[in-house]
Every structure is written in C-alpha cells, then in structure tokens.
Amino acid sequence: MNHPDSADKRIIPIVPQEATPSDADDMVMVSLYQAHKKIYPRSVSGLFARWRWGLVFLTQLVFYGLPWVEWGQRQAVLFDLEARRFYIFGLVLYPQDFIYLTGLLVISALSLFLFTAVAGRQWCGYACPQTVYTEIFLWIERKIEGDRSARMRLDSAPMSLKKFFTKSAKQVAWIAVALWTGFTFVGYFTPIHELGQSFLHVTMGPWETFWVFFYGFATYGNAGYMREQVCKYMCPYARFQSAMFDKDTLIVSYDEKRGEPRGARSRKADPKTLGLGSCIDCTLCVQVCPTGIDIRKGLQYECISCAACIDVCDDVMDKLNYPRGLIKYTTQNSVQQGWTRSQTLRHVLRPRVLIYTGILVAVSVAMLVSLALRTPLKVDVVRDRGVMARIVSGGMIENVYRLQVMNATEAEQQYKITVAGLPGLTLAADQEELAKVAATESRWVVIRVQLPYEAAPPGSHPIHFEIAAQDSPARVSEKSVFLVPR
Amino acid sequence: MSDFTSNFWSVYVAVITVVGIAACLLLLWFSGKAKAMTANDNTTGHVWDGDLREMNNPLPRWWVWLFVITIVFSAIYLAMYPGLGNSPGKLSWTQKGQYEAEMSKGEKDVAPLYAKFSGMSPEDMSKDPQAMAIGERVFMNNCAQCHGSDARGSKSFPNLTDGDWLHGGTPDKIKETIAKGRVGNMPPMAAAVGTPDDVKNVAHYVLSLSGSPHDSLRASLGKAKFGACAACHGMDGKGNPALGAPNLTDDIWLHGYGENAIVAIVNSGKVNQMPAQEGKLSDGQIQVLTSYVWGLSNGAKVAAR
C-alpha cells in the first residue's frame, strides 16, 4: 500500500484500475438517467396486510373524520391561521403556545427513533401517508383494472374503447379521492361546513382553492404515479432510519440457509432428495413488493418493511405444508446465531431502546402535565417607552404600562389587575377596576402605576403585575420595572 | 440603469446569465451518458482501493425533467421580469410599482370605512366603537411615542386628557394641530424682565397665579415685572391659544414645576414642536384621530372599553 516516496504517510491511492482487455468488450455507453419502470404490485392478504389495512382505516378515519366533529358551537379541531387561534377540542391555543407544537414534534421524532430501533421501518410500511394513500390508490386501481397480470396486460395492449373507459374510470375515482383529501386538508384551516358550501357554489377564496387543488394534486401524483419513487429518491427519513438500526433490529429477512438452493418442484416431491431448499422460486415475493425488490438478495435500502413478501410466502409455505417463516421479521443477530423467538425478544430491551423509551416517556409526561396545568390566560407587559416617568398631582411618580391580556377561554372574562413590588405602589385611582376581555380575544389595557414621591431611590425597580380572573382560578404574574427619575 | 455610462455591464451580465443557463443544459446532456461496463453486478467497472466498487445507481429520469423545468422556468422568468442585464422584462415589474399597487389597493379597501366616518361629527364618532378602535390604533402607532399610551403625556409632551389646550381644543383646532403640526416658542425673556432677582420674583408671581406654594413677598414684587410676559400670556396669565401661549393659572406645568423650572424657562426660553402628520396620515385617518383625541377630554369615554 505504501508509496515508496512517502513511507511515513498513509495514502489511499485513488487510481482507477485499468480495464482489462476482456472487460473492454463489455464497455458500452449507458444512460445515467434511468427511465421509470412501473411496478405492478400483486394484491396480498395475510396478517401484516390486515395490520396495514387496519392502520389505513384508523389514520384515515381520523384524518377525514376529525374536521366534521363539532365541539360546542364550533368545529372541534380548527387551526384558524388568520385569527391565530388554534382550537383543539377544549383547548384554545395562541401562537404563544408554540412550545406544544415543538413538544409534539419531539415526541414524534422520538417515537420514530424508538419504533425504528425495535422493529425497523414500521412507520414506512404501515402508517406513512405515502404508503397509506398508495394503498388506497392501488386498491382503486385493482378494483377497476384488475390485479397485477391484468394491469400489465392492459398497459401493454393498444388503445381501445374498453381500455379508454377503464383508464378514465380509474382517473375519475383517483381524482375524486384526491380532491376529497385536499378538501379535508383545507377543512382543518377553514370551517369545513362553510368550505363545503363555497366548494359547491364555486366561491372558495384564492388560497383555499389553491390548497384544495395543490394538496389534491400532490396526493394524486404521489399515490397514483410517484409511489415507491418518493421513498427511494425523495424521502429523507427512509435514508436516515438506517442509522437507527443495529443487529437487534427487526428486519424483513429471507432465511437463506433454509431456502437455498431454490427451485421448482412437485408438491409431492421431497426437497431433500432433490437437493433443494424450501424456496420454490415462485417469485411471488417479488411480485407483491411495492418497491420492486427481491428480498432474497438480502435487506436493501428500498425495503419499506411492509411485509407483503412475508404474507405471500407464508401462504405458499402453507400450501406446500412447509413450516412458515422462510421470509420473516427477525434480527440480524437472531439469524446469525440461530436464536429462538424468546431470545430475540429478550434483546429488545437493550440500552438504545431503553434510553429512547425513557426520553419519550419523560417528554410525553412533561407535555401532558404542562397541558393539564396550563393557565388559560396570558399577559404581556410592555412598559411605555415614550414616557419614562412623570410627576402627577398628589406628589406621585407615575409610570405607564400596556398590558396585553389574552383570554384563552371561550367565555368572556373579567380580570382584576393589581401591582406589587415596592412599598406604597398603587394603580392610579381613576382607572377601571376590571379588564373585560371577550372570548378568545386579546386586549391591550393601559395601566398607570403610581408611587409616592421619594418612596424609592432614583433608578429602576423590579415590580410585578398580578392578573387574576374573577370567575376562575386563572392568575398570572408578570414582571416589569418601575422607573424613578433623578 | 442610469448609474452606468455605457451599456457594457448590462450586456456582460446578460451574456453570463444566458451562457450559464445554456451550460446547465449542456451539462445535463453530456453527463447523461457514460461508458460503463454492462456487467451483471450493476457496477461501473471502477474499482477503488482494491475492493471498493462503484455501483451504477442512475438518477431517475423524471428527476432530470424537474431540472429541465427549472431551466424553462428561468427562461420564462427572465422574459417576464427584470433580470437579463437591464431589460425591464415583459411585465415591467418594479419593487416600487408593486409597493404602490399594494398601497393603493389597501387604501381602496379601507376607503369605504373612512367614507362612513367622513359625514360624522366628532361627537358622534367618539361614541362609535369602530371609529374609536381605529382611532386608538392610529394613536398608538403615531402619537403614543411622545404623548404616552394613555395620552397623558410627559414632561414637554402635553397631556391630551386634561382639557387644557395650548392651541385650542375645538375639533377644528385639534385637526389643525395634527395635520399641520405646531411650534411653541417661548423666547428667552431674562433681559426684558430685568435682574436675576426680578426673574425669581416673576417666577413666584407665576406660581401664585395657580395658588401653588410661593413666596408672597417675591410674588408681589414680581407682579410689576410680569408686564413683559403679558404680551403673550395676558395680563391675567390665562394664556392665548392663538399664539400657543400656555395658561399659567391652571396648575398644569408642561415643562416642569417649581421656581427653578420657571426661572430656567424665562432665562433660556423654549422651542417645543409637534410635527405635522399631514403627509404621513391620510385625511380619513386624521379625521378619525381628531375625534379620538377630542373624545379623550370630552366626557364620552371610549365606548369599546
């Protein structure tokens, strides 16, 4: 390895090997831009397919259903961007509650870490919108065009009246689902009943129109056409999830020792006498794969851990009366060291998993507690910058403050404002006693605070305002300063 | 672009832009094909470091089309918008033009709102919660910096809530003050009054006018010297709104209270200015603001409260 001139320096020689003459025959010009080869996943049924459909129903029931749920006089979940109020059932969140969104994102990220460390790309295979909508669009495709072989035949056939109608029917169904999805999405930001009215009467605002169609188009394009391309080329999670894998992570694996050598055989024949493994090379595992890979070549980055190949292979094994599990969820260690199921399970509880779980539980609990203890009242104190301090009748020094009082409840509230922090500090007498703030509104209240002359030395003194709701225990203390002039 | 004497830089930039875009297309075209092995193991035949083989994982073609779309977009963009040298583009878009269009649209949007108020008297407007809410916002954005959020002013910045007006408190006068601004000018009067002791005596006389604590001997001596002040403040010291001369009898001390403050003002004078808001605020805004300020000291407390 060492270069003669630099024996002391380690240098990796980056020199391409000369192509040997025999290779030269194989050298051809190839395109570095690959044409998209359409994948026709075969339909699959079984335990994991049922799990996936269960999650499709669960997530989509929530997504499509939630905007229609009413809570009191309003939509239960509504993100009113224009008024900057976020309604989630009984909660009214202000932009100041942004920390909860951060918490939610932290929880989501940690959950992804945890699930991936334990069981690989479960998110990809079962819950990711890309998978879920692809599943829905594939289902429509299958209902209209037929299963894998029928679809392949249809695509290769010349255009005919029948093909035209079949394709059109699929497009109409796809576009309907896509538009409904876009409409539902916008329904989280605009009251969905009103949106429905304006959709039907074609009176939607420009942004609503844009987002219904843009989100719809994205659904249509991603679930109808891009499909596995999104996972392979666009999705960052797909790539960095492999960093969370270790040798005890569940992955979809083909049992090579048992399966090989593969080969077709009669159902009655004994594979041992034929010198064959369990794999009958039916290629069903390749046909059902939504990303078009052959799992028998080992784990590949395209694998979204959807387990379609497990379902279909188990079916085949059942038909042949072979034991299931030629392809199964297992770990690298388990395969290499021939562990039993319980040995594999015991390795789930490893430090990485325990740490992820610990942090996840801590953050979730902190978030829930802080939500439960949240005061539905917020106050910002802004000291008047123009007026430093002034002397008013009665020998009092006066400072002016503006208090932004934010009512995060859905009822009108009255707040009593008091001030403390210096002996003799009072609110100017001729001010209203109670600040009235309408439901979910915020209001600026101008407050004058007075201190007897010479009650405090010149300079800046910390004080605090106490704002207490009259009809509820909500109270807030906010700091500020009182300036005494020289 | 008038900042250059010749067209050279414009052409220079335009050529570089066009050549750059064309080069992107060429790069895309030439890097699209490569000599590679067609070996079954999907490698390019390049081997590094003994055993590190380069895989052939081609870019999907649809991705290349995205690249082409950006190039098409840039061509359309350069045709429509300024960007190619000093070409203004088909749309003749400018920042200034967009700003003006948005401003005029904004003004058109609020015009009906102000039109509603244009026929209303200040008295009626000060009872209208919507007008007062607008007035409060305009006040907070344009007036509160000096007069305070509560409009009670500060030293040298008049209190607008106390019914004491330097230049008159009728809606017309308030409007004039807001629109045209005011300059209050108290000249240095020490020489006219007399000796420093005379100035002190006048200060005590002024204090006595409002019944403030004073030395009555000095005040009676100062009364004779007050003639110099009476030209503006009047013999009775009640001031003159036409000149902006303050009333000295109402115990309101804009520039400070007590003997020292008065002596300082008599000696040095004072120029105090309220800037004109005419060019900054629209007529409609000034009208609403006038009613808001008028309402502050005229009983009708803001109904919105």
Side-chain angles (χ1 to χ4, degrees):
Chain A
M1 285 293 281
N2 285 343
H3 197 272
D5 294 339
S6 56
D8 53 336
K9 270 196 244 164
R10 281 180 58 85
I11 288 178
I12 299 169
I14 303 180
V15 182
Q17 273 189 350
E18 286 300 316
T20 54
S22 71
D23 286 342
D25 301 336
D26 296 332
M27 297 290 276
V28 289
M29 290 296 279
V30 293
S31 173
L32 291 182
Y33 307 142
Q34 193 176 42
H36 177 209
K37 240 172 91 190
K38 192 172 170 186
I39 293 172
Y40 298 87
R42 192 189 181 95
S43 73
V44 65
S45 60
L47 175 66
F48 298 109
R50 279 199 298 279
W51 266 106
R52 185 163 37 259
W53 274 105
L55 276 155
V56 170
F57 278 115
L58 184 73
T59 53
Q60 297 319 297
L61 209 62
V62 171
F63 176 75
Y64 290 112
L66 208 48
W68 298 99
V69 178
E70 296 286 311
W71 182 271
Q73 298 296 309
R74 61 159 167 87
Q75 194 171 320
V77 175
L78 179 69
F79 307 113
D80 189 345
L81 293 179
E82 211 164 20
R84 291 169 187 82
R85 301 285 183 279
F86 309 98
Y87 304 93
I88 303 169
F89 296 98
L91 278 176
V92 181
L93 297 179
Y94 273 67
Q96 280 83 348
D97 293 309
F98 205 74
I99 186 78
Y100 294 116
L101 179 62
T102 314
L104 194 67
L105 292 176
V106 169
I107 288 173
S108 305
L110 285 168
S111 308
L112 183 76
F113 295 176
L114 176 64
F115 295 140
T116 307
V118 172
R121 289 171 60 180
Q122 300 294 297
W123 166 256
C124 300
Y126 297 90
C128 175
Q130 180 61 24
T131 299
V132 165
Y133 287 103
T134 301
E135 197 80 2
I136 294 170
F137 273 56
L138 262 174
W139 179 81
I140 293 171
E141 195 167 62
R142 199 153 51 231
K143 285 289 158 203
I144 294 174
E145 294 185 0
D147 204 5
R148 174 179 156 92
S149 47
R151 293 207 300 273
M152 290 170 90
R153 235 177 301 128
L154 184 70
D155 276 2
S156 58
M159 181 52 81
S160 65
L161 212 58
K162 185 168 179 290
K163 180 173 177 177
F164 178 76
F165 279 118
T166 313
K167 289 280 177 194
S168 307
K170 180 184 81 173
Q171 291 294 337
V172 169
W174 274 7
I175 290 170
V177 173
L179 279 181
W180 188 250
T181 309
F183 174 78
T184 305
F185 175 73
V186 176
Y188 280 89
F189 302 93
T190 302
I192 199 160
H193 289 282
E194 291 165 33
L195 186 68
Q197 288 295 320
S198 52
F199 189 82
L200 292 175
H201 297 120
V202 205
T203 52
M204 281 195 299
W207 284 113
E208 289 160 350
T209 311
F210 171 79
W211 279 105
V212 166
F213 284 94
F214 181 75
Y215 200 87
F217 173 74
T219 308
Y220 169 86
N222 285 337
Y225 293 98
M226 297 303 285
R227 293 187 179 169
E228 83 290 344
Q229 302 279 309
V230 173
C231 314
K232 279 166 73 175
Y233 298 112
M234 289 152 76
C235 181
Y237 302 100
R239 294 304 176 89
F240 76 63
Q241 280 184 86
S242 58
M244 296 155 207
F245 279 37
D246 58 24
K247 287 185 172 180
D248 290 314
T249 298
L250 283 177
I251 50 176
V252 176
S253 8
Y254 165 69
D255 191 340
E256 206 174 319
K257 269 185 271 180
R258 185 186 144 194
E260 301 296 318
R262 65 185 79 152
R265 79 285 312 263
S266 143
R267 188 177 291 196
K268 289 178 187 102
D270 178 20
K272 284 212 182 86
T273 56
L274 294 170
L276 289 173
S278 290
C279 176
I280 63 166
D281 205 12
C282 62
T283 71
L284 280 177
C285 56
V286 181
Q287 293 177 31
V288 296
C289 181
T291 65
I293 58 171
D294 184 348
I295 195 67
R296 294 172 299 174
K297 289 180 182 164
L299 184 67
Q300 290 142 72
Y301 78 90
E302 291 96 334
C303 177
I304 58 168
S305 208
C306 69
C309 50
I310 300 183
D311 277 336
V312 78
C313 191
D314 280 349
D315 268 0
V316 172
M317 293 295 111
D318 286 352
K319 279 182 192 137
L320 289 162
N321 280 323
Y322 293 173
R324 288 182 163 206
L326 180 60
I327 306 174
K328 64 178 172 187
Y329 273 121
T330 187
T331 70
Q332 208 179 332
N333 269 338
S334 179
V335 169
Q336 279 168 357
Q337 303 178 22
W339 284 346
T340 63
R341 208 180 154 77
S342 62
Q343 275 176 310
T344 310
L345 280 177
R346 224 172 300 142
H347 278 80
V348 168
L349 298 177
R350 52 194 189 275
R352 172 194 291 248
V353 172
L354 294 177
I355 291 170
Y356 285 152
T357 312
I359 303 175
L360 181 60
V361 169
V363 173
S364 306
V365 168
M367 171 119 164
L368 287 175
V369 168
S370 109
L371 264 178
L373 299 179
R374 177 174 169 272
T375 311
L377 160 67
K378 290 178 191 307
V379 178
D380 281 337
V381 177
V382 179
R383 218 189 147 275
D384 230 31
R385 283 165 297 179
V387 181
M388 291 276 280
R390 58 184 171 224
I391 296 166
V392 295
S393 60
M396 301 290 258
I397 297 169
E398 186 172 85
N399 278 204
V400 182
Y401 302 83
R402 293 174 75 206
L403 271 58
Q404 192 183 25
V405 183
M406 289 166 267
N407 177 4
T409 69
E410 291 182 77
E412 187 183 84
Q413 297 281 347
Q414 301 209 61
Y415 300 105
K416 188 168 173 60
I417 300 169
T418 50
V419 66
L422 283 171
L425 198 67
T426 55
L427 298 181
D430 56 336
Q431 300 179 103
E432 49 180 343
E433 284 259 299
L434 297 169
K436 208 183 279 179
V437 186
T440 74
E441 288 294 319
S442 73
R443 210 192 107 189
W444 285 97
V445 183
V446 176
I447 293 290
R448 287 176 292 129
V449 177
Q450 299 183 341
L451 185 72
Y453 193 64
E454 290 189 329
S460 167
H461 302 278
I463 59 166
H464 58 269
F465 288 91
E466 297 279 352
I467 302 91
Q470 291 304 93
D471 313 325
S472 78
R475 59 187 298 133
V476 164
S477 179
E478 273 292 319
K479 285 182 292 187
S480 189
V481 292
F482 188 92
L483 294 188
V484 177
R486 262 167 242 285
Chain B
M1 282 209 287
S2 54
D3 13 7
F4 296 121
T5 48
S6 82
N7 217 16
F8 172 78
W9 289 109
S10 164
V11 174
Y12 179 78
V13 169
V15 167
I16 287 185
T17 311
V18 170
V19 168
I21 293 172
C24 286
L25 261 181
L26 283 177
L27 182 73
L28 212 56
W29 176 257
F30 286 122
S31 62
K33 288 196 187 307
K35 214 172 174 78
M37 290 218 296
T38 54
N40 291 329
D41 58 359
N42 196 31
T43 62
T44 59
H46 297 155
V47 183
W48 314 93
D49 202 11
D51 60 352
L52 204 57
R53 293 172 311 153
E54 185 186 359
M55 303 285 288
N56 174 28
N57 281 330
L59 196 67
R61 192 172 287 161
W62 57 262
W63 197 293
V64 179
W65 284 112
L66 296 184
F67 203 124
V68 172
I69 288 173
T70 64
I71 290 173
V72 171
F73 174 86
S74 71
I76 295 171
Y77 181 89
L78 286 173
M80 306 307 276
Y81 287 91
L84 212 55
N86 59 9
S87 136
K90 278 261 180 289
L91 297 178
S92 299
W93 179 91
T94 59
Q95 286 184 2
K96 191 163 171 280
Q98 183 173 352
Y99 169 77
E100 279 162 3
E102 282 175 17
M103 286 304 284
S104 72
K105 184 180 178 298
E107 272 160 29
K108 222 161 74 195
D109 286 349
V110 295
L113 200 62
Y114 286 113
K116 190 180 110 186
F117 299 134
S118 70
M120 284 168 81
S121 70
E123 291 85 350
D124 289 343
M125 230 193 287
S126 70
K127 291 188 193 98
D128 183 311
Q130 192 188 19
M132 287 305 96
I134 295 171
E136 185 177 8
R137 265 200 297 284
V138 176
F139 185 88
M140 287 301 174
N141 286 336
N142 297 284
C143 317
Q145 288 82 349
C146 296
H147 291 286
S149 299
D150 61 350
R152 282 163 193 263
S154 181
K155 193 180 169 186
S156 298
F157 300 108
N159 181 344
L160 305 178
T161 69
D162 58 3
D164 175 45
W165 298 96
L166 292 171
H167 300 275
T170 61
D172 280 349
K173 285 288 171 191
I174 295 173
K175 190 171 182 176
E176 192 183 314
T177 306
I178 295 171
K180 310 275 183 204
R182 296 284 185 190
V183 180
N185 190 356
M186 158 92 187
M189 295 298 286
V193 172
T195 64
D197 209 45
D198 290 337
V199 172
K200 227 175 200 180
N201 293 343
V202 162
H204 278 275
Y205 175 68
V206 169
L207 283 168
S208 75
L209 290 173
S210 54
S212 305
H214 61 277
D215 182 331
S216 48
L217 181 66
R218 278 188 180 279
S220 59
L221 289 171
K223 186 174 181 180
K225 298 290 179 187
F226 189 72
C229 314
C232 296
H233 292 285
M235 264 329 281
D236 54 0
K238 286 196 186 297
N240 182 352
L243 299 169
N247 182 346
L248 304 176
T249 68
D250 57 4
D251 202 16
I252 291 170
W253 306 96
L254 182 58
H255 300 292
Y257 172 69
E259 184 197 299
N260 289 345
I262 298 170
V263 168
I265 285 264
V266 173
N267 285 339
S268 331
K270 183 90 187 177
V271 178
N272 207 26
Q273 189 171 357
M274 152 89 191
Q277 304 295 316
E278 216 165 26
K280 230 173 106 189
L281 303 178
S282 70
D283 289 347
Q285 283 175 315
I286 289 178
Q287 209 203 347
V288 172
L289 190 57
T290 301
S291 308
Y292 177 79
V293 172
W294 181 85
L296 287 171
S297 57
N298 283 277
K301 258 289 171 193
V302 184
R305 287 278 163 88

